[in-house]
Each structure stands twice: as structure tokens, then as C-alpha cells.
Amino acid sequence: MWDRIREKIAGLGVSARVDAGGDREKGTHNVFDAAAAYVSASAEDDQDGIEEAASWVSPEALSFGVSELACRAVIALARERNESPRKVARDLLGLPVA
């Protein structure tokens, strides 16, 4: 699984880690930090948090991280509900189950 993720990140032409100018204790953010912060801020309607998280990595890397987070969330919910990922994803979006 991690090899697949590293290949996708490499395909974006970006590093998984970028310098964030010391905003964080260690001074770096990775695509998964950015995605988690971005999605959390979006869920809380926190525009400042959205903009900050979006500045941590490239738009392509953020898109990849958000996509990866969505996949993992759907899989986790599907397991918890004992349903298919397709059914869970459609249910979350308010779509009829096909």
C-alpha cells in the first residue's frame, strides 16, 4: 500500500514534505497533514483553516491527500457498517444506491 502511495506522490512531481516556514513545531507538513487539516476545516466551515492547510502543499498534492483520506474514510465506514464501499459512498453523497 505505501509503495502505491509513494508512486502517486512521485507522479505529482512534489515531495511528500515541504517547508512550512516554521509554522509547526518541526517546520514541515506532509500531504496527509494538509489533507486532514483541510477536510477538518472544511467540515467546520473554517475558511482561515482551509486557506492555511491549502498553503502547506501544492494543489496537486492536496488533491491527492484529500482523495486518499476519502478512500480511507469510506473503507472504514463500510467495515463499521458491514456494507460495501460503493453503498457507503453513495449514501454519504445522498445518491440512490445503484
Side-chain angles (χ1 to χ4, degrees):
M1 177 174 108
W2 292 112
D3 290 338
R4 180 178 60 104
I5 291 170
R6 284 187 198 97
E7 287 174 15
K8 285 184 181 181
I9 291 171
L12 295 173
V14 297
S15 172
R17 289 205 165 292
V18 295
D19 187 6
D23 288 337
R24 221 172 91 169
E25 202 172 297
K26 293 187 180 186
T28 58
H29 297 278
N30 68 40
V31 294
F32 301 115
D33 290 331
Y38 183 88
V39 170
S40 298
S42 295
E44 296 170 351
D45 199 25
D46 174 8
Q47 190 60 41
D48 290 336
I50 291 169
E51 291 172 9
E52 180 181 353
S55 72
W56 293 346
V57 295
S58 73
E60 295 84 6
L62 182 60
S63 178
F64 168 77
V66 170
S67 177
E68 203 53 39
L69 176 59
C71 289
R72 292 177 189 200
V74 167
I75 289 168
L77 279 173
R79 287 179 180 159
E80 184 178 296
R81 296 179 181 183
N82 199 27
E83 297 176 346
S84 73
R86 179 181 179 85
K87 182 179 184 321
V88 170
R90 295 185 65 81
D91 183 52
L92 288 171
L93 292 171
L95 300 171
V97 178

